[in-house]
Amino acid sequence: MYPNQDIGLTPCECYREVCRRRFGTREQSGLPPTSHGDTIYGTLPVTDPIAPWQVEFYERDDGRCPVEDFLNGLDKPARAKVLGLIQFLADQGPTLPFPYSSQVRGKLRELRTQYGRENFRVLYFGASGREWVLLHGFTKRTSTTPERDIRIAEARMTDYLERRKRVEP
């Protein structure tokens, strides 16, 4: 499924090529452009017209996306691994099993992956309409999820839901 990595493509470039071949571009699919671009460093389509579940990145009022910033701060192999896990979430939806996903508290869940000795987490929740909203990404350094990171994600989830109520009648 992946293009031959022996021809000099990095894992991110291979993943991008697979996405382009499988899903095409947003223009080809008839989807409107997103407010923060179509991809993260040209790697992961933000919405996937074929996947049964959509993935949305939480945006702050200033238009910045915390999870996108977290992903862009990772080196390419780690970023490719986390992006692959996000795509897996879009494909599997609520059936995504442990160890890839686990319940944190209430509606809040976490995507879990590891690259080398680093443990990466992306906190998210399921919104209405078969959609996952990615709220907060971080590198986990302790055996438990830090309360600070959980509170950040819960505040963003509350903000997202309140803004959505104001927009929808």
Side-chain angles (χ1 to χ4, degrees), residues 90-162:
D91 292 338
Q92 297 293 312
T95 62
L96 186 65
F98 184 84
Y100 306 110
S101 176
S102 67
Q103 187 74 30
V104 175
R105 180 163 60 206
K107 290 178 147 185
L108 197 61
R109 300 188 59 80
E110 70 178 350
L111 287 175
R112 309 159 36 96
T113 192
Q114 176 179 344
Y115 181 76
R117 294 183 180 185
E118 299 288 330
N119 294 309
F120 300 109
R121 302 294 188 259
V122 176
L123 299 177
Y124 70 100
F125 77 103
S128 62
R130 298 179 61 87
E131 165 180 273
W132 299 114
V133 180
L134 306 180
L135 302 165
H136 179 62
F138 63 99
T139 302
K140 186 174 174 184
R141 305 203 189 287
T142 62
S143 60
T144 60
T145 302
E147 185 65 29
R148 175 185 173 277
D149 292 304
I150 294 172
R151 284 194 307 264
I152 289 170
E154 288 175 333
R156 290 176 180 164
M157 179 172 56
T158 301
D159 177 55
Y160 176 87
L161 293 171
E162 286 175 1

Side-chain angles (χ1 to χ4, degrees), residues 23-91:
F23 308 123
T25 64
R26 292 182 65 81
E27 294 79 26
Q28 291 169 339
S29 66
L31 293 172
T34 61
S35 60
H36 59 277
D38 293 343
T39 60
I40 298 173
Y41 274 9
T43 306
L44 177 74
V46 175
T47 57
D48 172 354
I50 297 174
W53 290 83
Q54 299 300 308
V55 174
E56 182 178 334
F57 290 82
Y58 166 81
E59 287 184 30
R60 295 188 298 226
D61 287 332
D62 62 5
R64 304 255 336 202
C65 299
V67 174
E68 184 177 18
D69 293 341
F70 166 72
L71 292 171
N72 289 339
L74 298 175
D75 61 347
K76 281 188 175 186
R79 182 172 49 241
K81 188 156 185 189
V82 175
L83 289 170
L85 185 59
I86 292 169
Q87 184 63 50
F88 196 36
L89 173 66
D91 292 338

